[in-house]
Amino acid sequence: MTTIAVIGAGPGLGLSIAKRFGSEQFNVALIARNKEKLSAMVEELKGLNIESKYYLADLRNLEQLKKALDDAKADFNNIDVLEFSPYPGPKSFIPTLDVTAENMTEQINYFLLPAIEAVQSVLPGMQKKGAGAILFPTGISAMHPIPQLGNAGIVMAGLRNYATNLHNILKEQSIYVGHLSIGTLIEKGTEGDPDLIADMWYNQYATQPYFEAVYPTKN
């Protein structure tokens, strides 16, 4: 069986991604810092006959993240898909004119550095196998600047740049890198329902028709 590691896993999009990939016979490694939420997610996945385990890590602590990924690799033998989707919530967003070195550093430590650490942890195994996927969802500010999301936009754009470079290099090694820019609030029962996003995300991974897409799609 193949294994997906969901980094920044929570009861919203992270759980929906776990369910969607799990329905395709993936094992699931859930990585985040909230033990209670992770435990509940594993129990829910167990009820769906999806094999999963959780690993505790504060993503700002790169040593914890590396250990969590190493433990997941040891338990599941490999990580075939890395999905990186932490979300600190709207309270962390700073308008452009209020961005400072300090609050920018917080975003870098929460998103960019953990993303790089995670890729470096799983990539050698994918390269050895000659297969794998790395999936980066971001907010729409990664592609279209929004002044109210000043600090987040800088980091999201940087993450997209990193993902683009990874894609261009690793496609020659049969490793898929994908980017999904989400332009709506993630909320059950709306166009931003996490189950709908997870379904699109899985289909993008499975078919690999392009590097990036925007959700929701506009006709």
Side-chain angles (χ1 to χ4, degrees):
M1 292 183 69
T2 50
T3 299
I4 181 172
V6 181
I7 297 181
L13 182 58
L15 179 58
S16 292
I17 290 168
K19 288 179 178 179
R20 183 65 182 89
F21 278 78
S23 72
E24 302 291 340
Q25 305 304 308
F26 274 75
N27 296 320
V28 179
L30 302 169
I31 299 175
R33 61 182 177 178
N34 190 306
K35 181 177 181 179
E36 289 73 22
K37 289 181 180 179
L38 289 171
S39 179
M41 291 167 66
V42 167
E43 285 301 310
E44 187 168 345
L45 293 171
K46 182 179 179 181
L48 299 172
N49 296 314
I50 297 172
E51 177 68 24
S52 67
K53 293 185 178 181
Y54 71 81
Y55 305 86
L56 294 176
D58 183 330
L59 302 189
R60 295 166 295 186
N61 186 319
L62 300 183
E63 290 185 2
Q64 287 184 11
L65 177 58
K66 183 179 185 303
K67 183 179 186 305
L69 286 165
D70 287 344
D71 289 346
K73 286 185 288 185
D75 288 341
F76 292 112
N77 193 36
N78 195 38
I79 291 175
D80 303 280
V81 178
L82 174 71
E83 200 276 344
F84 184 85
S85 54
Y87 179 64
K91 291 183 179 180
S92 69
F93 300 150
I94 304 294
T96 299
L97 294 181
D98 296 325
V99 170
T100 65
E102 182 179 4
N103 57 42
M104 195 64 246
T105 299
E106 292 174 2
Q107 289 285 314
I108 291 171
N109 289 342
Y110 193 82
F111 284 102
L112 278 184
L113 300 187
I116 295 168
E117 180 66 40
V119 169
Q120 290 300 309
S121 179
V122 303
L123 185 56
M126 293 180 181
Q127 290 174 312
K128 183 177 180 180
K129 191 175 181 180
I134 300 169
L135 307 176
F136 290 112
T138 66
I140 197 65
S141 60
M143 302 176 69
H144 304 288
I146 300 173
Q148 293 85 350
L149 307 178
N151 60 342
I154 294 169
V155 169
M156 292 294 108
L159 187 57
R160 181 188 178 221
N161 181 283
Y162 179 52
T164 303
N165 287 329
L166 287 175
H167 170 76
N168 291 334
I169 296 168
L170 295 176
K171 63 184 179 182
E172 305 299 331
Q173 302 178 35
S174 299
I175 298 170
Y176 174 70
V177 179
H179 172 238
L180 180 63
S181 189
I182 302 171
T184 184
L185 292 176
I186 300 174
E187 186 176 349
K188 282 283 189 182
T190 70
E191 68 174 355
D193 191 300
D195 290 345
L196 297 178
I197 298 172
D199 189 56
M200 180 177 178
W201 212 193
Y202 177 81
N203 290 335
Q204 184 174 331
Y205 154 76
T207 60
Q208 302 178 12
Y210 34 65
F211 159 62
E212 69 181 354
V214 174
Y215 181 92
T217 56
K218 302 298 183 182
N219 297 324

